[in-house]
Amino acid sequence: MLAKTFGSAVHGVDATKIDIEVNVGQGTKFYMSGLPDSAVKESEHRVESAIKYHGFNMPRQKIVVNLAPADIRKEGSAYDLPIALGILKASGQVSAPELESYVVMGELALDGVLRPIKGVLPIAIEARKNGFKGFILPKENANEAAIVNNLNVIGVKTIKEAVDFMEGDIDIAPLVVDTRDIFLSEIEHHDTDFKDVQGQENIKRAMEIAAAGGHNVIMIGPPGAGKTMLAKRLSSILPPLSLQEALETTKIHSVAGKLGTDATLIAKRPYRAPHHTVSDVALVGGGGIPQPGEISLAHNGVLFLDELPEFKRSVLEVMRQPMEERFVTISRARVSMDFPANFMLIASMNPCPCGYYNHPEKECICGPGMVQRYLNKISGPLLDRIDLHVEVTPVSFDQMTADRKTESSADIRERVILSREIQQKRFETYKNIHSNAMMESQMVKKVCKINTAGKTLLKTAMEKLGLSARAFDRILKVSRTIADLSSSEDIKIEHLAEAIQYRSLDREGWAG
């Protein structure tokens, strides 16, 4: 007898419908076809144990399981439940008249308990797209799947519960989640706030400009100056995620298995801070089964690289293309996958190996040329993609103990949102440009026009400070953002002057 169930395979951040055909007939042995990996092949033993544990019989006949389309690689243990239900129906132990109306996924324990799986959100989206009535899955994943409306999400704890539901012996109400309500309740909640930061007003200003224009930032300063503390608070002043951005972000974290059990929509911008020992595959994504890396997990949020020169050069160089294209392509012999990677890079570094070059109080003990060699660990092309270079100085005792009210993240975020709205209107006719940082060189000339006095100032700055040619476009982009924060239609002298000071590492002689 032939039975059919439906599952899904996740590739990249999208899912593909999989037909799971089970035939029980004359003969012996268990056969599986359709490019299954080892985890899928091993399902035979888990399925047999789970079926027997709940009082059903594993047929002692020839069982053929086909996973179609046969040319798509099937990976993971999430096919256990649909295979088990297919065997029970094909052997006549259950009738399950509506089995083909549902997508079914779940890993089975030996006692028939369902374990949570990865990639639930893209699977649910694909199920709705293909017109399925519902989605039967482990109860721990139900909240995540319920983000998708117009789909009956049935969370079950065991294979027996799934069978009883399909037979009509028990009634399980579809889980309903108000996605918009969850989104609105979470969107304004942040664990960190700029009001807790005493002093560092110039750094806060640089962070505000970065958030307003989507600019990348590198902070240079001695140990303990507050670089990490400031970076952690950047996401609290970024504009709130739109519902579409929240769904995109949740899909990536779902595929990577980073949501955890009972998780639902990600409503806050992600903040990722990988250690400097991270590999290039872990950073950009990849592996035998391609998975999103740290830059994709930071999509629509912040990627913080602390102690930038300590990262391997090969790791930093693989970021160059994703920083420009806003996505990363992982190519393998059989498949090529695109993972989104639209992130803001915030980097920090000590100015030298000892950490005290240019320190106002402590003396640097590094030998001649060591500061420049330390800086040279970061390549020119990577620095070219960082708009703001900010020097961070230590906070004095008086500033730390001052009983002075500082501006909160909410106040700063209001100005950032207004600036982003101006940019959104400016770039509404451009498909993939949403902020000043995304502008190409030709667009910079068109959007960032400066008057004669501005050109004179910029020429003088480049000559006297010895700024490199790559600083020219960056200064114009940043000055455009500063003008937007001031609600100014034109780039004025004061906007250019402020932007020029954020190019520390381009100055000749900065490293001695």
Side-chain angles (χ1 to χ4, degrees):
M1 184 177 173
L2 181 67
K4 183 184 281 190
T5 60
F6 293 96
S8 212
V10 177
H11 292 278
V13 292
D14 296 310
T16 305
K17 179 171 74 75
I18 300 296
D19 298 6
I20 300 161
E21 302 164 327
V22 181
N23 187 43
V24 177
Q26 289 185 344
T28 58
K29 293 190 179 180
F30 185 100
Y31 300 93
M32 186 174 289
S33 60
L35 277 183
D37 72 350
S38 297
V40 182
K41 289 177 183 176
E42 290 167 356
S43 66
E44 175 190 354
H45 308 294
R46 295 189 295 270
V47 166
E48 180 176 1
S49 177
I51 284 176
K52 287 182 175 179
Y53 190 89
H54 286 280
F56 299 103
N57 296 315
M58 187 69 174
R60 294 304 171 196
Q61 296 170 275
K62 180 181 178 181
I63 301 173
V64 179
V65 178
N66 181 48
L67 308 173
D71 60 343
I72 294 177
R73 184 79 171 164
K74 321 303 184 305
E75 296 156 341
S77 55
Y79 299 98
D80 291 359
L81 183 58
I83 290 171
L85 293 179
I87 290 172
L88 291 176
K89 184 170 181 178
S91 61
Q93 297 181 66
V94 301
S95 58
E98 288 198 309
L99 184 58
E100 293 185 26
S101 301
Y102 289 84
V103 168
V104 183
M105 296 294 281
E107 178 186 338
L108 286 170
L110 296 183
D111 60 357
V113 172
L114 284 169
R115 292 188 172 124
I117 59 174
K118 297 193 293 185
V120 165
L121 182 55
I123 293 172
I125 292 170
E126 184 67 13
R128 183 181 66 179
K129 178 182 170 184
N130 286 291
F132 284 96
K133 180 179 178 180
F135 184 9
I136 299 172
L137 75 168
K139 200 172 185 69
E140 288 93 334
N141 295 124
N143 281 335
E144 181 186 337
I147 293 170
V148 180
N149 54 17
N150 300 323
L151 183 73
N152 292 342
V153 175
I154 309 297
V156 293
K157 292 182 178 178
T158 64
I159 184 175
K160 182 69 166 63
E161 198 173 336
V163 169
D164 289 346
F165 172 76
M166 295 308 303
E167 292 287 84
D169 295 335
I170 61 171
D171 184 37
I172 302 176
L175 181 64
V176 178
V177 169
D178 190 335
T179 306
R180 194 166 292 276
D181 185 55
I182 292 172
F183 179 67
L184 293 175
S185 64
E186 293 277 337
I187 200 169
E188 294 296 332
H189 176 72
H190 293 281
D191 298 327
T192 55
D193 199 298
F194 270 101
K195 69 181 179 183
D196 302 324
V197 181
Q198 293 291 341
Q200 303 288 27
E201 299 303 326
N202 60 324
I203 317 301
K204 290 181 192 175
R205 171 64 176 171
M207 289 294 191
E208 180 181 339
I209 294 167
H215 301 289
N216 299 322
V217 183
I218 183 167
M219 294 181 285
I220 314 105
K227 302 184 292 294
T228 304
M229 177 187 65
L230 289 158
K232 283 181 178 178
R233 283 159 173 74
L234 179 63
S235 55
S236 69
I237 63 171
L238 287 170
L241 286 170
S242 66
L243 192 55
Q244 182 60 38
E245 286 176 326
L247 283 167
E248 283 178 7
T249 306
T250 307
K251 273 177 70 175
I252 296 167
H253 285 250
S254 173
V255 169
K258 302 292 184 183
L259 284 183
T261 57
D262 298 319
T264 183
L265 191 70
I266 292 176
K268 292 183 289 187
R269 293 192 179 272
Y271 170 84
R272 304 293 299 183
H275 192 260
H276 64 257
T277 55
V278 68
S279 68
D280 48 357
V281 171
L283 190 68
V284 300
I289 303 171
Q291 291 285 304
E294 290 291 339
I295 63 173
S296 292
L297 293 170
H299 180 61
N300 291 323
V302 175
L303 178 70
F304 177 51
L305 301 184
D306 197 9
E307 303 301 339
L308 190 66
E310 302 302 327
F311 284 78
K312 287 185 289 186
R313 194 179 184 95
S314 62
V315 171
L316 297 179
E317 295 309 298
V318 294
M319 286 202 307
R320 283 158 49 179
Q321 183 263 343
M323 286 172 70
E324 288 289 330
E325 303 294 336
R326 308 284 171 173
F327 67 88
V328 59
T329 301
I330 308 296
S331 297
R332 295 291 179 265
R334 288 180 175 271
V335 68
S336 180
M337 298 181 186
D338 290 337
F339 292 110
N342 182 17
F343 61 92
M344 272 184 67
L345 174 65
I346 307 299
S348 74
M349 60 176 285
N350 293 331
C352 64
C354 80
Y356 296 108
Y357 180 74
N358 276 348
H359 194 283
E361 296 172 2
K362 297 186 179 181
E363 186 178 348
C364 174
I365 59 171
C366 297
M370 286 184 69
V371 177
Q372 187 61 56
R373 282 197 298 274
Y374 189 70
L375 183 61
N376 286 344
K377 289 183 178 182
I378 308 167
S379 70
L382 181 63
L383 275 178
D384 189 31
R385 289 160 172 81
I386 300 177
D387 296 339
L388 285 86
H389 307 163
V390 186
E391 292 189 62
V392 184
T393 53
V395 181
S396 67
F397 178 80
D398 291 337
Q399 286 177 313
M400 282 192 290
T401 55
D403 188 17
R404 185 169 63 88
K405 187 177 179 181
T406 57
E407 201 170 25
S408 69
S409 291
D411 295 332
I412 300 171
R413 188 164 63 248
E414 283 182 17
R415 296 194 296 269
V416 169
I417 291 170
L418 288 173
S419 174
R420 287 287 183 113
E421 286 173 355
I422 292 170
Q423 293 167 56
Q424 211 164 16
K425 189 174 180 181
R426 177 183 297 137
F427 303 123
E428 61 186 356
T429 57
Y430 298 92
K431 186 179 178 182
N432 295 317
I433 298 177
H434 309 290
S435 64
N436 291 332
M438 295 181 176
M439 287 190 289
E440 301 289 344
S441 295
Q442 291 299 320
M443 195 176 294
V444 170
K445 293 176 184 176
K446 181 180 177 182
V447 173
C448 304
K449 293 180 179 177
I450 53 177
N451 56 27
T452 306
K455 288 178 182 176
T456 303
L457 173 65
L458 193 50
K459 181 183 177 183
T460 303
M462 294 192 74
E463 289 174 352
K464 288 197 173 181
L465 297 176
L467 296 177
S468 68
R470 69 169 174 249
F472 182 76
D473 277 2
R474 305 291 163 179
I475 289 171
L476 290 177
K477 286 183 185 181
V478 173
S479 61
R480 179 65 266 172
T481 300
I482 296 169
D484 290 340
L485 280 168
S486 305
S487 300
S488 173
E489 193 171 328
D490 300 319
I491 298 175
K492 298 178 180 176
I493 289 285
E494 58 267 28
H495 304 146
L496 270 172
E498 186 175 0
I500 288 166
Q501 70 173 329
Y502 296 125
R503 297 304 301 182
S504 298
L505 298 181
D506 279 333
R507 296 174 189 167
E508 286 182 4
W510 182 87

